[in-house]
Amino acid sequence: MDIIVSSKIEADSQLERIRRERGFEGHSQSNSTLVSLLDQTLNIISNELYQTPTHFLLELIQNADDNRYQNHVSPSLSLRLYERDGRQYFRTDCNEVGFTLSQIDAITGVGKSTKKVDGSSGQKGYIGEKGIGFKSVFKVADVAHVASGSYQFKFDRSQPIGMILPILSPFPFADLVPDHTQFLLEVKRKEDYLEIERELGGVKPELLIFLRKLTRLALFFPGNRGSSIFDRSLNISDQDFGDDVETITISAATAGVDATCTKQVQTAMQKKYIVYRHEVRGLRPEPKRKGISSSEVTLVFPVADCYTPIIEPQMTFAFLPIDDFGFKFLIHADFLLVASRESLEYRCRWNLELCRGIRDAFLAAIKRFASMPPRKIGSEQRRKGLCFTWPKYLGRTPRDNSFWDDLHASIMNHLRYTPILLPRNPQFSFRTPETLRYVPDKYRYGWGTLFDSLSNGYGDGHLAFEYDDVWYELSQLGVQLLSLDELCTEFEQWVAQVGAAGLQNQPLLWHEQISRLFCDSQFLRTRLRKLPIIPLRDGSWAKAESGRVFLDFNSEDNVPEGLDISIVDPTASQNRARRQFFKFLGIMEYTPLQVCNVIIKLHRDLDNRTEKKLISDAAYLFKHRALLGSYSTPPQLFFVITRDGKRMKSKLGPIYCDDSRVQPNLVNRYRSSSGNPFWILDDGYEAVICANEGDPIARAKRKNQFLDWLLLSDTFWNIPILVRNGRLTQEWAFLRDANVIDLLQVLRQRFSHPDFYVLPPVLVKAVPELQVPCRDGNLRRLGVLALPTEELIRECPHIEFVDLPGPHPIHSSWEFLSQFGVLCTCDTTARLRELQALRKRFRPDEVDKEAVHAIYRTLNLPVRLSTDHDKIR
């Protein structure tokens, strides 16, 4: 009967009726045997029902939540522990409407809970069904005072069946709070008092979350320890998380003194919880849940803000906390509990079905979290939100309990095959965990991965980076770490897609990262060698397996381009990380001798090699001439030569060098003359050979070294060739016609060379026949002339002298002309010619007779060579 008595007379009358029903009339007892048996049973229940003496706190909170409240009242309960006059007390105050007749029957009986309802009530579960919870107060107190509405009475355990037998007694006035239902316990032992104090200190604000009615719980501690006040507020559509998301906010305010007991301290805390409710339908009939076929399961997820879960141990509830089973979210269900409420009936079919409902509720809640829109915070690149951080709730501290272990395993197993994770590319929808790969930091570059592709989309198989903080939790669902083998596959695909341009556009740091990642990965070496990822000097990219790729010998070696040998780009080669990677791929440093051999081989047959490359070839061979053998002479190469404004490539001589050391430098003098026969080495060689020489003296020295090296070959000359294959050359004819004296200069230069000791017969015949200028201005055959030496000019001044450049008397370097009939010494022939000249030039009376006599005296000298006698005859 839910009737509230209206007067103290009615209330006392009901209590007297209850006493009579228990066998007591006034103070007399009618059935002592039955009372004694019942008393023993109650003592067993009170002493052994709960493991801890303070479990009654939860029972009192549960009872308060079951009470009825007026509509304008915020249901609240306060718990106070204090000492007075040397005694310890514990009191509860609840602002409910007051006890009904049925509630009085329940609290004074055993197994008469008012919470048993049938399915027609619409209630989907129970808080308690034993009807024995209140008896737990007698573990800490022998006397319990009760005041509610018009009722005031007490229980005294020291009396027969005192735990269920109400004794009319006024509630202590000092503790009476009007319009409240109150319990006042006289704590019987100091240790119980201290235990209650410890338990009160351990009451958490989360206790309010699953209570049906209470919105405030106030705790008052003894002495100067102050108080804690917990409040609960409900928001059925919290816009911080999107439409239709229910949240509960728990506030806690504490007051007390600091550790020094000298200063008042007040603190305030507020915590928000996302609530997800799930109705479990089709429950099988359960005797203790008569008529109930559905029950609500509630999961609550603590959050610090709209994108940060709070991860800490959480309790499991059946309206009141049961225990911590290792989960990081709060679980509430109408479990069937053992009588002590400290554990579940684990084999109960009802609880097993609720367990499956918890799993389904969690999966549904996670889908809701995953669909929440992310947010970008300020200038941060990554989005945030519970859609990315929810996996934090997956963690669980293991417990030695197969019921809860199986629940967690079932949750994880179902999530593995549920599309709940986003890939990096926002164009793709949710994916199952096993289809995604987590990209570790070392495989990333900037805000993306190393191989993001712009044409085919990117990241469809990569887990979004926003999940970084929950990678460990997602690994338990089957998200695997991107392996180096898989990264190599992506690299292969990326290179095939972007080609050389894509590689060229990547910065140095990107290339260094690639080099470090793959270097020394022997199982990938063959695959990597097949990729065109080696940058060459000419801007192209080559495969390491081509076998013709080499690292540069040093940064200043300047290997010619276009050879059948590819040199890694010097900038890339000089980078330590990249060079080490190239060596790992089998690319070794070339040796200059290898390059030299390639150049020589290439020049056996001229291809389409450009003039610039031909010049580079010769410059490289000259630089490494000491490696060539055969006394380091120049090999047979194609050279760039010019004549009359024309350019050509040739490896045949003669090729003339413009050598300023040769004077007169006839090659230089006639190089611009039309019709000249001189194919001259292109000036580009000097520019390349002397490129690194800034000082004019050093530049000239370097050039001369190059020319000397070339002149070791029969192909190169720095003075014109006059005879070839026993015949006079074009150079002979050109110089003869241009300036015969220059032709004689060439002969003088040739005769001055120590290797020129065989006089070609054609020269013996041709040189004397040259028409050369004489000192008198006339042209005469060279073979009949004399060299204007000092002696000849003095002794035979009237003979015909050839007119040669330079000082007079002429230098002895011209005396080679004697081999061609030119008089070079004052011999018999010279004197005879002088006599002939006198006869032809003067009349007899004009001749200097003394001079003639001197000549004859010389001719008549007794000591003469036989040749002179012949000449005289």
Side-chain angles (χ1 to χ4, degrees):
M1 297 180 294
D2 292 333
I3 299 174
I4 300 176
V5 298
S6 58
S7 67
K8 189 174 187 308
I9 295 175
E10 287 185 77
D12 291 347
S13 175
Q14 183 187 7
L15 294 175
E16 288 290 353
R17 178 183 58 80
I18 293 173
R19 288 178 61 82
R20 287 193 297 272
E21 291 175 353
R22 304 288 190 271
F24 286 82
E25 184 70 37
H27 296 286
S28 62
Q29 179 179 338
S30 61
N31 191 336
S32 60
T33 301
L34 182 60
V35 169
S36 177
L37 180 61
L38 181 57
D39 206 27
Q40 293 177 14
T41 302
L42 289 172
N43 282 325
I44 292 173
I45 291 174
S46 175
N47 291 330
E48 300 181 6
L49 181 61
Y50 300 107
Q51 296 178 9
T52 60
T54 53
H55 194 88
F56 76 92
L57 293 173
L58 297 180
E59 292 294 344
L60 293 177
I61 294 172
Q62 172 187 304
N63 289 340
D65 195 56
D66 290 330
N67 293 334
R68 293 193 300 172
Y69 298 85
Q70 294 181 3
N71 292 333
H72 64 278
V73 171
S74 295
S76 64
L77 173 68
S78 66
L79 308 177
R80 298 173 185 269
L81 185 67
Y82 54 92
E83 291 185 275
R84 186 173 63 217
D85 300 330
R87 303 184 66 179
Q88 293 88 35
Y89 297 92
F90 176 78
R91 193 182 87 210
T92 71
D93 307 322
C94 181
N95 64 348
E96 64 148 338
V97 296
F99 282 168
T100 64
L101 295 177
S102 60
Q103 287 174 322
I104 289 294
D105 284 340
I107 200 172
T108 59
V110 179
K112 291 187 176 182
S113 173
T114 61
K115 304 161 193 173
K116 294 182 178 179
V117 295
D118 59 32
S120 63
S121 69
Q123 185 174 330
K124 294 184 174 62
Y126 294 72
I127 296 180
E129 70 281 338
K130 311 298 184 220
I132 57 177
F134 177 74
K135 309 307 179 288
S136 61
V137 301
F138 295 108
K139 290 199 75 170
V140 298
D142 286 336
V143 178
H145 299 272
V146 181
S148 180
S150 299
Y151 297 100
Q152 289 191 19
F153 59 94
K154 70 178 181 179
F155 295 102
D156 187 347
R157 181 177 181 177
S158 66
Q159 301 297 317
I161 62 171
M163 286 184 281
I164 62 172
L165 186 66
I167 301 173
L168 293 175
S169 174
F171 198 86
F173 182 77
D175 298 295
L176 189 61
V177 178
D179 301 323
H180 282 68
T181 292
Q182 297 179 267
F183 294 96
L184 178 63
L185 308 183
E186 297 179 9
V187 182
K188 58 187 177 182
R189 290 183 298 270
K190 183 66 175 179
E191 55 267 29
D192 292 331
Y193 180 83
L194 295 176
E195 181 67 19
I196 294 171
E197 183 178 4
R198 284 192 293 271
E199 286 295 319
L200 277 181
V203 172
K204 303 299 182 184
E206 288 83 3
L207 186 65
L208 283 174
I209 292 177
F210 300 112
L211 297 179
R212 295 173 180 272
K213 299 173 183 177
L214 285 178
T215 60
R216 169 169 284 195
L217 179 62
L219 310 176
F220 297 91
F221 301 96
N224 58 8
R225 286 195 57 195
S227 63
S228 295
I229 299 176
F230 307 145
D231 289 290
R232 178 189 67 173
S233 62
L234 177 67
N235 187 342
I236 62 174
S237 184
D238 194 328
Q239 294 304 309
D240 284 345
F241 299 94
D243 295 335
D244 303 325
V245 175
E246 180 183 343
T247 62
I248 290 177
T249 300
I250 299 294
S251 302
T254 62
V257 296
D258 62 7
T260 64
C261 299
T262 60
K263 184 179 179 181
Q264 288 287 330
V265 178
Q266 293 185 344
T267 61
M269 179 277 294
Q270 193 174 75
K271 189 180 291 186
K272 184 175 285 191
Y273 301 82
I274 296 178
V275 180
Y276 192 85
R277 304 182 188 277
H278 175 75
E279 187 172 356
V280 183
R281 300 177 182 273
L283 292 170
R284 299 181 186 181
E286 167 55 48
K288 296 179 182 179
R289 295 292 186 266
K290 186 177 180 181
I292 302 297
S293 61
S294 64
S295 182
E296 186 177 79
V297 167
T298 306
L299 303 184
V300 175
F301 302 87
V303 290
D305 47 45
C306 58
Y307 42 79
T308 308
I310 295 177
I311 304 302
E312 55 190 14
Q314 302 294 347
M315 299 290 286
T316 295
F317 291 73
F319 296 96
L320 294 174
I322 305 171
D323 201 350
D324 172 13
F325 297 114
F327 294 96
K328 306 308 178 186
F329 54 94
L330 294 86
I331 300 173
H332 172 266
D334 185 22
F335 293 114
L336 291 179
L337 306 177
V338 298
S340 68
R341 284 191 54 87
E342 295 177 336
S343 182
L344 276 66
E345 295 182 6
Y346 287 116
R347 296 184 180 180
C348 173
R349 185 172 60 188
W350 173 274
N351 288 341
L352 291 173
E353 291 182 351
L354 289 182
C355 183
R356 287 190 288 272
I358 293 171
R359 177 200 66 197
D360 295 341
F362 187 85
L363 295 177
I366 293 307
K367 289 180 180 179
R368 182 69 180 89
F369 290 158
S371 64
M372 288 181 177
R375 301 183 180 187
K376 290 196 73 173
I377 309 301
S379 61
E380 293 186 22
Q381 292 289 328
R382 296 186 184 178
R383 302 165 292 169
K384 291 188 174 183
L386 280 177
C387 55
F388 299 117
T389 56
W390 62 260
K392 285 290 185 182
Y393 293 119
L394 295 177
R396 177 175 178 262
T397 304
R399 297 287 190 269
D400 188 16
N401 188 311
S402 61
F403 182 89
W404 300 108
D405 290 345
D406 291 346
L407 170 61
H408 185 258
S410 180
I411 288 173
M412 299 295 283
N413 189 56
H414 277 74
L415 285 175
R416 287 187 181 94
Y417 304 102
T418 304
I420 48 172
L421 297 177
L422 289 171
R424 281 194 58 234
N425 193 332
Q427 298 177 1
F428 292 89
S429 59
F430 289 101
R431 304 279 292 273
T432 57
E434 63 180 6
T435 63
L436 292 175
R437 295 292 182 269
Y438 171 72
V439 182
D441 286 341
K442 63 181 179 179
Y443 295 171
R444 302 182 189 182
Y445 186 78
W447 296 108
T449 65
L450 285 164
F451 310 123
D452 278 348
S453 171
L454 299 179
S455 61
N456 294 334
Y458 63 91
D460 58 318
H462 295 159
L463 183 71
F465 291 170
E466 286 80 357
Y467 292 105
D468 280 357
D469 293 337
V470 293
W471 149 239
Y472 173 76
E473 288 80 3
L474 293 181
S475 69
Q476 308 304 304
L477 294 182
V479 177
Q480 296 184 29
L481 186 72
L482 185 68
S483 68
L484 194 60
D485 180 77
E486 291 171 319
L487 185 70
C488 185
T489 299
E490 292 186 7
F491 191 24
E492 292 168 334
Q493 296 171 348
W494 184 84
V495 169
Q497 181 179 345
V498 304
L503 287 164
Q504 188 69 42
N505 291 335
Q506 298 303 321
L508 174 61
L509 290 178
W510 183 91
H511 287 286
E512 287 182 332
Q513 190 171 341
I514 293 296
S515 298
R516 293 190 182 98
L517 280 175
F518 290 116
C519 192
D520 298 329
S521 299
Q522 291 293 338
F523 71 104
L524 297 175
R525 186 173 182 270
T526 300
R527 293 168 60 185
L528 291 169
R529 281 174 52 80
K530 296 179 181 295
L531 297 179
I533 56 176
I534 311 301
L536 303 181
R537 290 185 316 163
D538 60 3
S540 63
W541 295 74
K543 302 176 183 179
E545 69 173 6
S546 66
R548 297 179 290 103
V549 182
F550 294 90
L551 295 171
D552 60 341
F553 178 68
N554 62 62
S555 59
E556 299 179 355
D557 199 44
N558 298 322
V559 175
E561 297 178 358
L563 300 179
D564 191 20
I565 178 173
S566 300
I567 306 300
V568 176
D569 177 76
T571 301
S573 182
Q574 292 167 28
N575 182 274
R576 182 175 181 180
R578 300 183 73 181
R579 190 178 188 91
Q580 185 175 356
F581 179 52
F582 297 153
K583 286 185 176 181
F584 163 69
L585 294 180
I587 301 174
M588 304 306 294
E589 292 180 356
Y590 69 85
T591 65
L593 181 59
Q594 287 177 306
V595 179
C596 291
N597 290 333
V598 170
I599 294 174
I600 294 171
K601 181 179 179 181
L602 180 65
H603 279 249
R604 290 175 183 170
D605 297 298
L606 183 63
D607 58 0
N608 294 323
R609 198 153 179 76
T610 65
E611 295 176 354
K612 179 180 178 181
K613 293 176 181 178
L614 291 178
I615 293 174
S616 297
D617 294 345
Y620 190 87
L621 291 174
F622 166 66
K623 181 176 182 179
H624 298 287
R625 57 192 181 279
L627 304 175
L628 298 179
S630 300
Y631 302 102
S632 302
T633 57
Q636 287 292 312
L637 302 178
F638 281 93
F639 287 89
V640 181
I641 55 179
T642 63
R643 188 181 72 177
D644 252 352
K646 299 178 182 179
R647 300 166 65 89
M648 66 175 291
K649 308 169 189 176
S650 175
K651 64 189 309 184
L652 300 176
I655 298 175
Y656 289 99
C657 301
D658 189 347
D659 190 349
S660 60
R661 295 173 297 176
V662 177
Q663 294 299 326
N665 185 359
L666 299 179
V667 172
N668 178 270
R669 179 180 297 176
Y670 291 107
R671 66 181 300 167
S672 300
S673 298
S674 177
N676 80 82
F678 305 115
W679 284 104
I680 303 174
L681 187 69
D682 190 84
D683 292 337
Y685 287 89
E686 179 182 350
V688 173
I689 294 295
C690 303
N692 296 325
E693 305 294 346
D695 180 66
I697 296 177
R699 188 179 181 89
K701 181 180 179 181
R702 185 69 171 170
K703 175 186 177 182
N704 292 338
Q705 290 174 342
F706 177 61
L707 294 181
D708 288 342
W709 178 66
L710 294 178
L711 291 171
L712 293 175
S713 166
D714 292 338
T715 303
F716 287 89
W717 300 82
N718 55 2
I719 57 177
I721 299 175
L722 302 180
V723 177
R724 185 182 304 113
N725 298 326
R727 297 182 180 183
L728 297 175
T729 64
Q730 292 181 345
E731 292 88 327
W732 165 282
F734 175 79
L735 292 175
R736 181 198 60 196
D737 297 340
N739 187 339
V740 71
I741 298 300
D742 285 341
L743 179 60
L744 297 181
Q745 293 274 25
V746 173
L747 286 171
R748 182 175 70 128
Q749 291 168 346
R750 297 303 299 162
F751 272 90
S752 65
H753 198 281
D755 294 335
F756 192 80
Y757 54 89
V758 177
L759 186 63
V762 67
L763 286 182
V764 174
K765 181 179 180 180
V767 172
E769 300 300 324
L770 290 175
Q771 296 291 317
V772 299
C774 297
R775 297 184 70 180
D776 61 1
N778 294 316
L779 292 176
R780 291 183 179 84
R781 191 170 64 86
L782 178 64
V784 298
L785 300 179
L787 191 68
T789 65
E790 180 179 3
E791 182 184 21
L792 284 175
I793 293 174
R794 184 184 65 250
E795 299 295 332
C796 305
H798 299 95
I799 63 177
E800 302 295 338
F801 291 102
V802 60
D803 188 9
L804 295 174
H808 296 282
I810 204 69
H811 192 270
S812 60
S813 62
W814 285 99
E815 291 179 355
F816 74 92
L817 290 176
S818 63
Q819 300 184 56
F820 302 103
V822 177
L823 293 176
C824 296
T825 59
C826 192
D827 58 5
T828 301
T829 301
R831 295 182 186 279
L832 292 176
R833 285 189 184 181
E834 174 65 16
L835 289 175
Q836 292 175 351
L838 289 173
R839 182 172 61 83
K840 289 181 179 180
R841 183 174 297 182
F842 300 102
R843 296 192 303 272
D845 58 339
E846 295 176 338
V847 175
D848 184 350
K849 295 180 176 55
E850 182 58 34
V852 173
H853 292 162
I855 293 171
Y856 278 104
R857 284 195 299 270
T858 301
L859 293 174
N860 290 325
L861 288 176
V863 180
R864 290 294 178 189
L865 296 176
S866 59
T867 53
D868 285 343
H869 289 292
D870 293 339
K871 291 178 181 178
I872 293 172
R873 287 193 295 268

